[in-house]
Amino acid sequence: MRTLNVGLIGTGNIAPAYIRGCESFDIIKIIACADILVDRARAFAAEHGLAAYSVDNLLARDDIDIIVNLTIPATHADVSLQIIEAGKHVYSEKPLAINRADGAEVIHAAKSAGLRVGCAPDTFLGGGLQTVRKFIDDDIIGRPVAATAVFMAHGPEAWHPNAGIFYLKGGGPLFDMGPYYLTALVSLMGPVARVAGSARITFPERIATSEALMGQALPVEVNTHISSTLEFECGAIATVITSFDIWGHHLPPIEIHGEKGSLSAPDPNRFDGDVQALLGGAGEWVDVPLSHTINIGRGAGVADMAYAIQSGRPHRASGDLAFHVLDIMCALEESAARGEHIQIESTLPQPTALPTGLADWELDA
C-alpha cells in the first residue's frame, strides 16, 4: 500500500501529539500545515519540517489525501465541510460537531462525495482498552450488565493557555472529555439505545490561574457537572459522570461488570494503562497481562483510516462512531433540560477489535 500524504489545519496544543503519533506509521506522512494564525503555522512548520500554507492553499494542494482538522470545536463542522468540498478525506479532532445537524451534514457530505470521515478519539485502539475488549469478546466476564465511567476534575483554567473556550458553547466536560469515555464504552459494549441526564452550572464564571491568562474571568455558558445513565442496546446500563467542578476523587476511570466477573479499565485518554479483573468467587482483583501493544499513539485513527481507504474495509475511529457519541451527548443535555429519558436515534455496528499479535505501531491492513 502506498503512503498517504496528510495535512493539518490547526497548529495549537494538540498538533504536536499528532506529529509524534503519525510519524511512526509508514502508511501516512504529514507534509504540510495551515492555521488561521499564519505566523503560528509558519513557526510550527519550521519546527517540524513541514510546508506552511494558508487554509485555502492547503485545501487546493492535489498531493494531499487526508486533512486532519485540529481547529476549535465550534468550527469543526465548517472546516470538515471545506475539506470534503476540496475532495479530501477528513479526520477531525473530537467532537465531530457541537450539534447533531452539523454532524449529520458532515457525514452526509462525505458519503455523497465518496470520501471518509474519521474522528478522535482513537485511544480505544490502545493496548489497555483493546485488552478489555478481548476479555469481553472472549466471554471471560460474561455478558456485560453494568459499567461506570468517571471524569471529574476542576477545569483547565489552571493550566490551559486558552481555557475560556472550554466554558463556551461546544465546551464543558461532557463535550471536551466525554468523547473519550463514551467512545470507549461504545467500542467495548456497542451502541447506546436510551439516556437520562442531570446537569448544572456550579460557578457562573471561572478565574484563570494559568500563566497565559492569570486573573482573567472566564464566563461559563455550559453545564460543568453532568451525571448520566446510559442504556445500551446489549442491555447493559452505565453510569457516566463528567465534571469540571470536583477537586479530587478515588473512583476508577472505567469499570465493566459482567455476569461472571468485573474489569477495571485504564484511563480512556491514554493508549496504555493497567487492566485488572475480578472473576466471580475469586475474592480479589488480579492484574491482566495486556493482549495488545501500548506502543501506539494519537494518529492511530488516521493510520487506520488510511489502510481502510486503500483496502475498502471499515475504519474504526469513524464518522459514524463519532456521530453516535455526539448524538448521546446532545441527548444527555436535552434530558437534563427536559427531565426525561431520550431515545438515541443513531446506531452503528460495534467497531471491529484489533487483532492480537500486531507489532508496535502496526495496524491490520
Side-chain angles (χ1 to χ4, degrees), residues 71-237:
T71 59
I72 63 172
T75 64
H76 281 177
D78 286 343
V79 173
S80 291
L81 287 169
Q82 291 178 49
I83 294 167
I84 293 164
E85 187 176 357
K88 320 290 187 188
H89 304 283
V90 59
Y91 186 92
S92 177
E93 247 305 314
K94 50 79 188 170
L96 178 68
I98 63 173
N99 60 65
R100 290 189 193 89
D102 287 349
E105 186 178 2
V106 170
I107 300 299
H108 176 74
K111 290 181 177 179
S112 296
L115 297 167
R116 299 270 185 147
V117 175
C119 189
D122 53 7
T123 43
F124 70 96
L125 300 176
L129 288 172
Q130 286 295 308
T131 297
V132 174
R133 172 68 184 270
K134 180 169 172 52
F135 241 67
I136 295 171
D137 288 354
D138 289 350
D139 197 37
I140 296 174
I141 65 165
R143 185 176 60 176
V145 174
T148 58
V150 176
F151 170 81
M152 295 194 297
H154 211 264
E157 61 268 27
W159 61 271
H160 199 283
N162 191 24
I165 64 172
F166 292 92
Y167 296 106
L168 303 178
K169 187 176 181 181
L174 180 59
F175 275 72
D176 178 44
M177 295 303 296
Y180 293 105
Y181 293 79
L182 296 174
T183 301
L185 291 175
V186 172
S187 75
L188 295 172
M189 299 190 298
V192 173
R194 190 171 78 146
V195 304
S198 297
R200 63 176 289 171
I201 297 174
T202 300
F203 307 100
E205 68 176 17
R206 301 289 182 120
I207 304 300
T209 56
S210 66
E211 182 179 352
L213 301 175
M214 179 63 72
Q216 289 190 28
L218 309 176
V220 178
E221 297 179 352
V222 294
N223 290 315
T224 53
H225 184 96
I226 302 95
S227 295
S228 56
T229 301
L230 280 59
E231 300 176 17
F232 286 75
E233 290 183 10
C234 71
I237 299 173

Side-chain angles (χ1 to χ4, degrees), residues 249-308:
H249 67 90
H250 291 294
L251 299 174
I254 294 179
E255 287 186 345
I256 309 292
H257 306 282
E259 293 175 333
K260 297 188 291 186
S262 298
L263 285 168
S264 178
D267 182 347
N269 193 16
R270 299 176 59 91
F271 290 85
D272 58 3
D274 298 329
V275 178
Q276 292 188 314
L278 188 153
L279 300 181
E284 62 181 22
W285 293 88
V286 297
D287 294 334
V288 175
L290 298 188
S291 58
H292 292 71
T293 179
I294 62 171
N295 291 324
I296 188 172
R298 293 194 198 277
V302 184
D304 184 65
M305 189 170 77
Y307 278 113

Side-chain angles (χ1 to χ4, degrees), residues 53-72:
Y53 293 91
S54 68
V55 171
D56 287 343
N57 287 341
L58 180 65
L59 292 172
R61 284 191 58 161
D62 59 9
D63 61 340
I64 292 180
D65 304 287
I66 300 169
I67 293 183
V68 178
N69 177 3
L70 303 181
T71 59
I72 63 172

